[in-house]
Amino acid sequence: MLPSLVTVAQGLYGLLLLGLWLLLIAASAHLLRLGLWALAHPLASVSVRKLADGDLPVVTVQLPMRNERLVAARAIRAACALDWPKDRLQIQVLDDSDATDETVAIVDAEVAALRYAGFDISAVRRPDRRSFKAGHLDFALPSSRGEFIAVLDVDFVPQADFLRQLVPHLVAQPQLAFVQGRWSFLNEDDSLLLRVQALILHGLFLVEQSYLSAHRQPVQFNGSGGIWRKAALLQAGGWVGGDSDTEASVTEDLDLSFRVRLFGYESLLLPQVAVPTELPESMAAFRSQQKRWVRGGAQVLRSLLHKLWSPGRSLGERLTMLLHLLRHARQPYLALALLFLPLPPLGVLHGLFAPPGGMLAAVLILWTALSVYYGAALLRLQRSPFWAVLLAPLVMALSMGLCVSLTVELLRGVLSSRTGAEFVRTPKTGGQKEPAKQYRPVFDRLARIEVGIGGAYLALSFWLFWRGDYLTALGFGLLIGAGLLWVGGGSWRISR
């Protein structure tokens, strides 16, 4: 009986390893396909008929914020600096700040001064924070007088010609629900973590979403840095939507993007138009942001899955939206891999078979694919692709380091309703290195687990190195152990 149980266990381990190998190969093929497309299609200038000042529509700029005393004034001034006639520009500062936070006084002072200067600007506050950012955007919508609604988060500092570059596309193409620019980053060069974050988002905007937009496939609105057609917003039920859940998704941008697509609207990304913003400066803040995005994506999958198969959209569009909503389904498998990968090196269990080339080959192929994908993004920015080769292993390490906490958030989003889900804001510092204590991310107990697993992997890698298994030691130590310690240790240290 015992040998048969061992054989079953060896077969199961072989299947698990093969599944991980296939996951990495599939991801590599997807990244290579997108990267090669971007290499073959350099960024080109976009031509659209410029609008004469007399033909410019009324635009409402909404600035959602909560407890953002460090950057609130900068955001309000940037909105008023937009190159648009004052009589056709409305600015709504959607202030959800606590009554005791200094942001309230800062907003009131800025709004009063700019209203005196002739701007149509107001602070919009509401009696409760129901549905978070989405709820406040909807709350202010009835008082907006613009045909188009520009959404700019508090950390965004758009160029003066932001509206001039985006609005004409909405005027010229009535089928567009929204048009957005790509994000650029004010603090990209301040640390290694920020360089890696920027690289990931450069890939998103300059490769993946550029590809989707060029092929007229569904593109997600990224929450800020874009302009919406008000009629499309209203037809889709607004930011909160009309689902049975009483709260909006914590990723209201993704939810609305796909809802308007199901109503027949299209979307456009203009990677040529950069909208400066700032990246989360600490690992704790970045981790909190990623958790919200994963949980929100799972919420949207749960609420929209049955609607994706309604008539009226092509099979390709439906599959694109479905695959986008399922993109984080890999997280539980990566977390499971943390448990079964050490078994053979420890001599506990060996698989009956191994995938072609082993895991080392899959990792090297993924490194190559990431280098092509992110290298193409950097080339589109007229930067050296060399940084993509160097930073790609850090992207892999960061992915493994986040898989535990993101698995938990994915399960929370799938298994629980939107009601009671908290929108955890990502702190913005405006370049200030010592933000107030209340603006720091909340400590996550999972950081202790990540540090513990990371420490165990690091100890295992030292032992394997001492035994002469250098390649396995390198992979376990740098891609897994260091990744978990980077995420867990960075979150623990900064959040306490």
Side-chain angles (χ1 to χ4, degrees):
M1 177 64 71
L2 185 59
S4 63
L5 289 176
V6 171
T7 301
V8 169
Q10 289 175 333
L12 178 60
Y13 175 81
L15 289 175
L16 289 172
L17 199 63
L18 179 61
L20 181 60
W21 185 88
L22 290 172
L23 177 64
L24 298 181
I25 295 299
S28 300
H30 176 67
L31 293 167
L32 276 172
R33 180 174 66 90
L34 294 177
L36 292 174
W37 174 86
L39 289 173
H41 297 82
L43 281 183
S45 59
V46 178
S47 60
V48 65
R49 183 178 66 86
K50 292 185 180 296
L51 299 175
D53 282 359
D55 297 329
L56 295 178
V58 177
V59 175
T60 297
V61 178
Q62 293 188 326
L63 305 175
M65 62 181 70
R66 178 174 184 260
N67 297 347
E68 298 286 4
R69 68 175 182 83
L70 301 175
V71 290
R74 183 184 70 179
I76 295 170
R77 293 169 190 165
C80 290
L82 292 170
D83 179 17
W84 208 256
K86 282 186 180 180
D87 64 326
R88 303 185 187 193
L89 179 66
Q90 178 192 25
I91 298 168
Q92 295 180 321
V93 183
L94 313 185
D95 184 21
D96 250 351
S97 301
D98 298 332
T100 57
D101 192 272
E102 296 174 50
T103 305
V104 174
I106 293 172
V107 167
D108 287 343
E110 290 292 331
V111 167
L114 290 164
R115 188 186 298 122
Y116 181 78
F119 289 94
D120 179 3
I121 183 171
S122 60
V124 181
R125 297 188 174 97
R126 54 183 179 153
D128 59 65
R129 291 189 61 240
R130 181 172 175 173
S131 292
F132 318 115
K133 175 183 172 182
H136 209 163
L137 289 168
D138 273 352
F139 180 82
L141 200 58
S143 60
S144 65
R145 62 185 184 90
E147 178 184 353
F148 303 110
I149 310 293
V151 181
L152 293 166
D153 283 351
V154 71
D155 50 322
F156 279 70
V157 189
Q159 302 290 343
D161 63 351
F162 169 70
L163 297 178
R164 296 271 183 177
Q165 295 204 61
L166 297 189
V167 169
H169 294 275
L170 287 164
V171 173
Q173 303 178 65
Q175 78 278 13
L176 288 181
F178 67 86
V179 58
Q180 65 179 4
R182 67 170 173 86
W183 298 356
S184 61
F185 308 105
L186 300 168
N187 56 348
E188 177 176 351
D189 298 325
D190 289 357
S191 72
L192 183 61
L193 173 62
L194 294 172
R195 283 183 179 271
V196 174
Q197 287 185 61
L199 185 69
I200 293 171
L201 291 171
H202 287 326
L204 173 68
F205 285 101
L206 289 155
V207 181
E208 180 181 342
Q209 289 197 342
S210 291
Y211 174 88
L212 293 173
S213 183
H215 291 80
R216 302 183 69 176
Q217 290 297 309
V219 178
Q220 176 189 344
F221 180 68
N222 298 109
S224 181
I227 306 175
W228 279 83
R229 186 182 305 277
K230 185 176 179 180
L233 272 172
L234 295 174
Q235 185 176 356
W239 290 92
V240 176
D243 291 330
S244 58
D245 286 318
T246 58
E247 297 282 359
S249 165
V250 293
T251 51
E252 74 293 325
D253 45 8
L254 172 61
D255 189 23
L256 181 58
S257 300
F258 287 177
R259 278 192 281 118
V260 295
R261 189 77 185 198
L262 294 174
F263 275 98
Y265 285 97
E266 296 184 3
S267 49
L268 177 66
L269 169 72
L270 294 178
Q272 299 86 348
V273 180
V275 190
T277 181
E278 70 177 62
L279 295 159
E281 295 189 349
S282 70
M283 178 61 77
F286 170 68
R287 187 170 180 269
S288 175
Q289 179 193 70
Q290 297 301 304
K291 287 170 59 179
R292 185 178 77 247
W293 289 355
V294 170
R295 184 170 187 173
Q299 291 174 339
V300 176
L301 173 64
R302 174 175 170 167
S303 64
L304 290 187
L305 183 59
H306 65 288
K307 297 181 180 179
L308 295 183
W309 309 112
S310 58
R313 309 311 298 170
S314 69
L315 178 61
E317 286 184 69
R318 296 173 186 176
L319 288 176
T320 297
M321 289 188 279
L322 179 62
L323 291 174
H324 185 81
L325 293 174
L326 289 172
R327 69 194 185 282
H328 291 299
R330 69 183 186 276
Q331 300 298 341
Y333 206 96
L334 293 178
L336 178 63
L338 295 177
L339 301 178
F340 69 72
L341 281 175
L343 297 180
L346 290 172
V348 176
L349 186 67
H350 293 274
L352 287 178
F353 54 89
M359 292 307 302
L360 176 61
V363 170
L364 292 177
I365 292 172
L366 181 59
W367 185 359
T368 301
L370 287 168
S371 299
V372 172
Y373 177 81
Y374 291 121
L378 294 179
L379 282 172
R380 286 189 135 202
L381 291 174
Q382 298 184 338
R383 300 182 190 177
S384 170
F386 179 67
W387 282 106
V389 180
L390 291 180
L391 295 179
L394 294 181
V395 174
M396 290 189 279
L398 192 60
S399 179
M400 292 303 300
L402 287 166
C403 70
V404 174
S405 57
L406 297 190
T407 295
V408 172
E409 291 305 308
L410 178 72
L411 295 176
R412 285 176 176 171
V414 170
L415 299 176
S416 61
S417 69
R418 297 178 183 182
T419 305
E422 177 64 20
F423 186 105
V424 181
R425 58 183 287 279
T426 304
K428 291 91 178 177
T429 67
Q432 301 183 45
K433 299 303 180 184
E434 293 296 333
K437 183 177 180 181
Q438 66 267 27
Y439 284 10
R440 295 179 184 176
V442 177
F443 173 67
D444 189 331
R445 291 183 177 86
L446 278 176
R448 295 178 178 140
I449 297 175
E450 291 161 348
V451 168
I453 300 174
Y457 262 93
L458 202 60
L460 177 60
S461 68
F462 281 128
W463 180 68
L464 291 170
F465 192 86
W466 176 73
R467 291 184 55 190
D469 192 352
Y470 304 121
L471 290 177
T472 305
L474 190 65
F476 279 7
L478 293 183
L479 293 184
I480 301 180
L484 286 160
L485 290 173
W486 190 17
V487 172
S491 302
W492 199 346
R493 177 176 58 83
I494 296 175
S495 301
R496 285 182 67 87

